[in-house]
Each structure stands twice: as C-alpha cells, then as structure tokens.
Amino acid sequence: MFPARVRVLCAHIVLALSLIVLSMGVNFADSVNTKERTVTKVAEGVYVIRHKDSPDGNVNGNTTVIIGDKEVFVVDSCFQLSAAAEDIAQIRQWTDKPVRYLVITHFHNDHNMGNGLYKAAFPAITIIAHTDTKRDMYRTPTTRDRFVQYIAVREQRLKTGKGADGKPLTETQIADTAKSLAGKKLVFEELKNFVYEPPSLTFDSELNIDIGNREVQVKHLGRGATSGDAIVYLSKEKILIAGDLVTHPVLFTYDGYPSEWIHTLERLAQLDAVTIVPGHGEVLHDKEFIYLSRDLLKSAVEQVMARISRLTSTAEHPSLEEVQKGVDLTPFRQKFAGEDQDSLEAFDAAAAALVKVVYKEAMHNN
C-alpha cells in the first residue's frame, strides 16, 4: 500500500494526463460513423453543423454557418437534400438575414449536393469555389441515373446471391446488400428534387469578403485532397474551416496529391487558429491532428518512394503489390482511430488507399 501523499501525487498526475489527452486534437470519442445531427456554436454567430450519415451509408460533409451584420456566409451544402433543407430552416431560425455566399470547399458531392436548395431559397446567392473545383464538378455530377444503376446492381446481387466476383454472398453480405439497397432507394427518392447548381464565382488564390463587421477569407493553399481545395479563415475569431484537407478521426486518403498535401497542411498550420473545423468529424481545438495527418502522409510518401527506388534497381516499373510489401503505416493506426472498431477499420482502408495513391502519383511523375 502506497503512503497517502504518494497516492495523492499519483492522483494529480492522472488528472494532469487526463487533461492533456482531452486537450489534444485527437479525440477518441469521435468515430467515422455519424449517427446524429449536432450543432456546435464555435463563436458568436458562427455554427458548425455535423450531419448524420446518409441512409445509403454515404457521408455528409460538415456545414459551417457564419452570420454577419448584413449577410450570411455558408461553407459546404452537404450531400443529402433533406439534411441541406434542415440546415436552411435552421439558418432562418437563427437570423432573418439572407445567405449571400456559399463556398464549396472541393468537388466531392458530399459537400455540394445541396447547392440547388440554397439557390432556390436565396436567389441572390453567390456560390464560390476554386477554378479547379468548378471544372471537376462539371466532370462528375451526381444524377438520378447513377442511383438507378446502384439500385439495379444490388437488386441483381440479391436475386442471384452472388457478388461482383461471382462468388456466393455470405449471410452477412446479403444483409449488408439489402440494407444498402434500402438506403439507396431512400436517397433516390430525395433526388427527385435535385438540381445541379455549379459555382457562379471562381477564384485561384484568395478572396476576402465582408458580410457586415465580419471579414471572411477564402484561400487556396495548395493541392491536397483535390486540386481545388478551398479553406475559409476568420482571422479575428481564429477559426479555420479546412474542408477535406482535414477529416477526423481518420484522414480521407482515397484520392488527391499526397506529396503536395504535406506542404499544404504545413501552410494550413501556420494560420493563427484555435478552432479548426474539419470537412468531417468533430470540431478540433488545436493543431495536433493537422500535424498527425501531415506525418502520416509524409511517412507514406517516404516509404513508397524508398521502396520504388530500391525495386527499380532490378525492375524498371515495380508493381503496386511489390511496393505495398515494403510500406507499414500501422504505427499511426491507434493514433488516429483509438479503440473505436469502425474507425480502426476505416483507417486500415484509408491507409491501403493512401499507398495506392502515392504509388500512382510517383509513377505519373516518373
């Protein structure tokens, strides 16, 4: 049995460590799955809406609402139309000022499907995006036809009992396919009201907009998750809205420019911000997660390049499979996902995808 003063000292140490963990950007209470809609007030007149996942399992990007003395500025319109409609109704409860600006942080449709609803609700709205984002939105619009195909594929799998590889589906796979089919049908019904609404104003480097005693800075700091990533910065309030350059608790690394993303995150971290809104996940209150994300990308790039360099001594074009054998990102696994099983699985998938993206980038550059 330890003396009383030792027990007291240990208690103080445990408390101090607990406070340190709570203050870190990596919050293991978060999960890649979002089951409830939440609203967080991060400053006077600034709200972050985190949407629950779509019925088909698709994710909805975070939406940030910034209210000025004259106008309202919104960042991202999410994926599910009913969620965007709920956001618009919420904004009208907060203020009678019009939404005058809507910034789309990048072209992925989980951040811009609601554009048409905002345009219908606020006809004078200006939809802003980086030049590359507008281009890529035109290239990859979501349509009802795509969901017709999604539904048909799942119905065929349930009918035949076989997967895409021709192998019989397990009971778990059958249940998952049926659940996915039901979700796709629900989203398909909502798409009856979908109107494709592209950006009406583009920028290449920076825009500064005054919405009434509140300056909003829109910046492109470099390529990362996409070629046209936009961030929104409130310097006075020290609030940074990062889009999918930062996603919590697991970085979305299924596409993008990893070697450039590293430097874009470093530039992002140089901004004076104490509140960081990721494209997905809970609001962060320091830059710990930005640096962790940078370190993951850096490790992946360095390992892949080293492996390619070693293999090219015997083969001109090493295969992805050969490169994968020499890359290990598991030291980052628990740092991102903690003990949440869904997040651990998401990290494994994201890490495998990251290696492929880095490999593709390296082969293209060579």
Side-chain angles (χ1 to χ4, degrees):
M1 190 71 177
F2 293 112
R5 63 179 181 178
V6 173
R7 294 199 302 271
V8 170
L9 178 60
C10 289
H12 284 306
I13 292 173
V14 170
L15 176 60
L17 289 173
S18 299
L19 290 173
I20 290 171
V21 170
L22 288 172
S23 69
M24 290 175 62
V26 184
N27 180 358
F28 293 142
D30 202 1
S31 172
V32 292
N33 294 330
T34 309
K35 298 180 180 179
E36 299 294 336
R37 179 182 188 271
T38 58
V39 177
T40 304
K41 183 177 180 179
V42 294
E44 191 60 40
V46 184
Y47 302 88
V48 177
I49 304 172
R50 187 180 181 190
H51 309 92
K52 65 181 179 181
D53 296 339
S54 176
D56 65 340
N58 203 346
V59 290
N60 278 294
N62 290 339
T63 293
T64 302
V65 179
I66 307 165
I67 302 172
D69 288 347
K70 297 187 300 182
E71 301 160 324
V72 179
F73 190 110
V74 174
V75 184
D76 284 338
S77 63
C78 79
F79 169 76
Q80 197 177 353
L81 299 188
S82 57
E86 188 175 8
D87 294 347
I88 291 169
Q90 178 80 74
I91 292 169
R92 284 176 163 155
Q93 290 178 4
W94 286 328
T95 180
D96 58 1
K97 299 178 181 70
V99 176
R100 184 66 179 84
Y101 301 98
L102 169 62
V103 164
I104 303 305
T105 57
H106 59 292
F107 77 91
H108 294 160
N109 61 25
D110 53 311
H111 294 260
N112 57 56
M113 287 283 284
N115 288 9
L117 293 181
Y118 278 88
K119 179 67 174 178
F122 307 100
I125 196 170
T126 298
I127 301 176
I128 302 170
H130 187 269
T131 303
D132 287 0
T133 294
K134 181 173 183 177
R135 177 201 65 200
D136 291 335
M137 280 182 64
Y138 274 118
R139 289 178 177 176
T140 57
T142 295
T143 65
R144 284 172 57 83
D145 291 342
R146 284 172 59 181
F147 274 78
V148 169
Q149 182 181 5
Y150 296 153
I151 290 169
V153 166
R154 286 157 179 77
E155 287 179 335
Q156 180 67 14
R157 289 177 183 172
L158 290 175
K159 181 179 178 180
T160 62
K162 296 181 180 179
D165 56 4
K167 296 180 181 179
L169 296 173
T170 65
E171 290 185 8
T172 299
Q173 289 172 326
I174 291 172
D176 289 343
T177 302
K179 182 179 179 181
S180 177
L181 174 61
K184 294 293 183 188
K185 287 183 175 179
L186 287 174
V187 175
F188 180 70
E189 286 300 309
E190 288 195 23
L191 286 175
K192 290 178 179 178
N193 300 317
F194 174 65
V195 176
Y196 174 73
E197 193 66 48
S200 53
L201 174 64
T202 60
F203 75 101
D204 292 317
S205 179
E206 183 172 344
L207 284 174
N208 294 328
I209 297 172
D210 187 349
I211 57 174
N213 199 33
R214 177 163 262 161
E215 184 185 62
V216 181
Q217 299 177 24
V218 186
K219 300 174 181 287
H220 174 67
L221 300 179
R223 301 199 295 186
T226 71
S227 65
D229 293 303
I231 65 102
V232 174
Y233 178 53
L234 304 178
S235 59
K236 182 179 178 181
E237 297 85 352
K238 298 186 178 182
I239 296 172
L240 168 62
I241 305 160
D244 278 8
L245 287 171
V246 180
T247 57
H248 190 266
V250 174
L251 198 62
F252 289 2
T253 52
Y254 294 91
D255 199 0
Y257 306 84
S259 61
E260 296 180 51
W261 198 342
I262 295 166
H263 305 295
T264 302
L265 286 177
E266 289 175 343
R267 287 188 283 271
L268 194 71
Q270 290 173 9
L271 294 173
D272 184 13
V274 295
T275 300
I276 299 163
V277 181
H280 299 266
E282 296 178 344
V283 175
L284 307 174
H285 298 287
D286 61 37
K287 298 174 183 177
E288 184 78 17
F289 190 78
I290 293 179
Y291 291 121
L292 178 62
S293 299
R294 177 204 60 186
D295 291 346
L296 170 70
L297 293 166
K298 188 175 180 180
S299 179
V301 170
E302 290 177 349
Q303 289 188 64
V304 168
M305 295 306 295
R307 180 69 173 170
I308 289 174
S309 178
R310 179 179 178 183
L311 291 171
T312 49
S313 62
T314 57
E316 186 175 354
H317 297 290
S319 68
L320 171 62
E321 291 72 20
E322 291 174 314
V323 171
Q324 287 172 323
K325 294 176 183 177
V327 180
D328 180 16
L329 297 176
T330 55
F332 290 93
R333 192 172 187 258
Q334 199 166 37
K335 293 179 182 179
F336 277 91
E339 301 298 333
D340 181 77
Q341 188 58 41
D342 291 330
S343 296
L344 288 167
E345 293 175 5
F347 176 84
D348 293 341
L354 176 57
V355 174
K356 292 180 182 179
V357 174
V358 175
Y359 172 83
K360 180 180 177 181
E361 183 183 49
M363 292 295 101
H364 176 76
N365 291 338
N366 290 336

